[in-house]
Every structure is written in structure tokens, then in C-alpha cells.
Amino acid sequence: DLYLAYATVQPFCILKNEAPTYVFFKTEGIAPQIILKANGIKQIKSGNTQVEEVQGYYVVQLSPDENDSEEFKVITTGDKEINFLVIGHGKARNSWKVNMGGTERLCITQGEIIPYKDKLVLRSLRFATFNLSVYPKDNLSLSFMDKAKFYTEEDQLWMHYRITLPETDPIMGYQPVEDLSRYIPSEPQLPEDDRLDSVPLNCPGPQYFVNFRPVEGSRYWRLRVSTITNPYISNAYIIITYKGDTGSLYQNGELIADNYYNGLPFKYSLRRLKHKTKEMLLQVVPLKKSLKIYLEGNEWNGKGEDKDALVRGITVLPQYELNVMYGE
């Protein structure tokens, strides 16, 4: 048995292969080291990593550099091989443990990974270029989609890939709306919303309705996003930076999304749209002093005059999707 006596690095995951790999990550400001009891260890293969035997223990001194990854192998007296991998905290935050054809590997990318039986699906918001690093690099073969441009680079531990897809910038247009008559549905699209019948308008809570109708003091914008034809874009998100009590989106008179203002943008996935038209109506209800709503770290917090309903910007961010086929 192998006995870990002490470590100043954080345990992260185990790659359960024929020779298991115990993965740790560093903590900023703390000198990284791993101390193993010498009893039961036949040999440590450490490469450039400093290992010292002290009073019955092996002290493994690791690089404090966030960008350095280090690996060392322990051979037990029973001839069992156990690997240790130590990575930076930033790498750990962007890591995914993936079973690729029966081998568990650590993949690092700033996007999202969805594993399947014979492939990985990588998703990236806004950026058409993917950076992917894979450990261990042994017996690894990846292939990419037809129009993907890529190059590879390897170091002692990792195989690095940089893949670029054809890029498209969806266009989002928006403008203020004064005449709301065309947006009021002639008949309910959803079961009527009667929750406000017995609640005064100055009480906290949403003032908008599931079937669109104007709310006193609110402001409105018409939104329209261009048709997306790029096959490598699997979704897109509307990002609304606004200020008010609530924001709500309507399509064909029907509420499709709502948001309680907390200082962060209102985000909506276009994949959720129920109708073919890409036109929407945004309603922003003003944040009133009388509501006495507290927002942490916000300059408003019920002080001063009532705040108007404001939209500071609306953009649309594409989600690029890359299929990565693998073999060994």
C-alpha cells in the first residue's frame, strides 16, 4: 500500500486506468509539495521534479508556477505503478475527466465538453477557436470536422490542439417602441394571469403578465435577430444589459422569458423560441424607490429618486459547436 502523509496541493480527480493517476492542483501562495511514506515504495520516477528522502519519507517538491504541470511515477514494492499529476489551479477550473475509448483522460478547454461513446462535443460561447489539451497523450488520435482548421503541438505531458471553425457574427437589431397596439394579443395565448388582481402595484413582485399588456411606467423595445445559417453554430444567446425592476420578453403576445434585475445581464437562449419569427418585444418595468429592494453592491438600493427603465445594450452571442472524433 502507498501512504500519503501530507500534501499542500488539493486533490482533484483520479484517472482510473491500468496505472491510476491521482490528479492534484496547486493553491496560490502555498508552496506545493507531496510527502509519501517511504515504506512500500520501491522507486520514484520523477524526471525534473525534485524528490528527497527524509527520515522515512519521500518529500516531492513541486514548481510553484501556475503554468507548470508535473508528473511523477511511484513503483511500489509490489511492482504496482501509481502516477501523480499536479496542475495549476487555472487548469483545474477548465478541466474535464472524460472516458475516451476505455481510457480516462483529462481534457482542458475554456468551453464546455459533452462526451459521447465515440466523440466529444465541444461548445464555445462567442469564440470560433477552440483550445484543447489532453492528458495522457499516449495512443491518442483525434479527428475534426471537414471545415475545421487545426494544428497540434505536444510537450512532455500534454497533447495540445487549436481548432478554428468558420466564423459568423449574428446581427441583433433593437429600437424603442411607443405604439404597443400591435403587440397586445387579441385573445390569450396562455392561461390568464390573475395574480395581481388583489395585489397593489406598489408591492414587490412582478408587475408584468404572461399575456402581454402594458404596465404603467414601463419602457419597450423591439428586438430582431438575423437568421443564423452557419452549421457550426448550435445556439445563440441574447444578452440584455438593462436596469429596472424586471425585464420580460414576449413573442406573439406570449411571455417567453423573464428576469429579476440584480445587476447582471438578462440572458435568453434563442433555441427556446417557439415561433419562426425572430422578432420579440422587451418590456422593462422601472425600479421604484417605494419597493425598497436591496441589491448587494448596487448604487441604487432604494436611495434617491425612482430609476427609469433603461437598456444599456443588447447583443447576441453565438455558441459554436465542434465534434471531435477519437480513436486509439
Side-chain angles (χ1 to χ4, degrees), residues 89-259:
H89 183 256
K91 286 186 173 66
R93 287 175 60 88
N94 292 303
S95 291
W96 305 72
K97 188 176 86 165
V98 178
N99 189 318
M100 301 170 68
T103 300
E104 291 194 347
R105 301 184 189 269
L106 195 65
C107 297
I108 297 176
T109 183
Q110 291 183 326
E112 176 185 9
I113 294 180
I114 304 172
Y116 290 88
K117 183 178 180 180
D118 58 349
K119 68 177 181 179
L120 303 178
V121 174
L122 274 61
R123 289 177 177 169
S124 171
L125 192 62
R126 182 186 298 174
F127 301 109
T129 295
F130 296 77
N131 292 296
L132 174 67
S133 299
V134 184
Y135 167 95
K137 65 179 183 177
D138 303 332
N139 304 315
L140 177 67
S141 176
L142 302 184
S143 59
F144 306 98
M145 302 157 76
D146 292 343
K147 293 186 179 180
K149 298 179 181 179
F150 69 94
Y151 74 86
T152 61
E153 181 181 349
E154 62 179 300
D155 58 30
Q156 187 177 357
L157 301 178
W158 302 85
M159 184 69 76
H160 305 283
Y161 301 85
R162 185 176 179 87
I163 313 104
T164 301
L165 296 173
E167 189 171 5
T168 302
D169 288 326
I171 299 173
M172 167 61 71
Y174 65 98
Q175 62 188 61
V177 173
E178 300 293 340
D179 182 4
L180 299 171
S181 58
R182 60 171 291 210
Y183 296 100
I184 301 173
S186 57
E187 57 184 37
Q189 305 298 303
L190 295 170
E192 277 290 8
D193 184 353
D194 59 358
R195 72 188 187 286
L196 296 179
D197 289 352
S198 58
V199 178
L201 289 177
N202 62 351
C203 284
Q207 306 297 314
Y208 53 87
F209 299 85
V210 293
N211 296 294
F212 174 70
R213 68 175 93 163
V215 175
E216 183 179 355
S218 298
R219 297 179 67 188
Y220 304 88
W221 288 262
R222 183 176 77 92
L223 281 59
R224 187 170 181 84
V225 63
S226 62
T227 300
I228 300 172
T229 59
N230 187 335
Y232 299 101
I233 294 178
S234 60
N235 196 7
Y237 294 88
I238 297 174
I239 309 296
I240 303 169
T241 304
Y242 78 103
K243 192 165 189 177
D245 181 16
T246 58
S248 50
L249 274 177
Y250 292 87
Q251 190 179 42
N252 290 6
E254 176 184 335
L255 180 69
I256 58 174
D258 56 356
N259 180 266

Side-chain angles (χ1 to χ4, degrees), residues 263-276:
L264 299 176
F266 177 5
K267 182 178 177 181
Y268 178 73
S269 167
L270 287 178
R271 185 184 286 170
R272 295 171 56 194
L273 284 178
K274 297 173 64 175
H275 306 283
K276 289 184 178 181

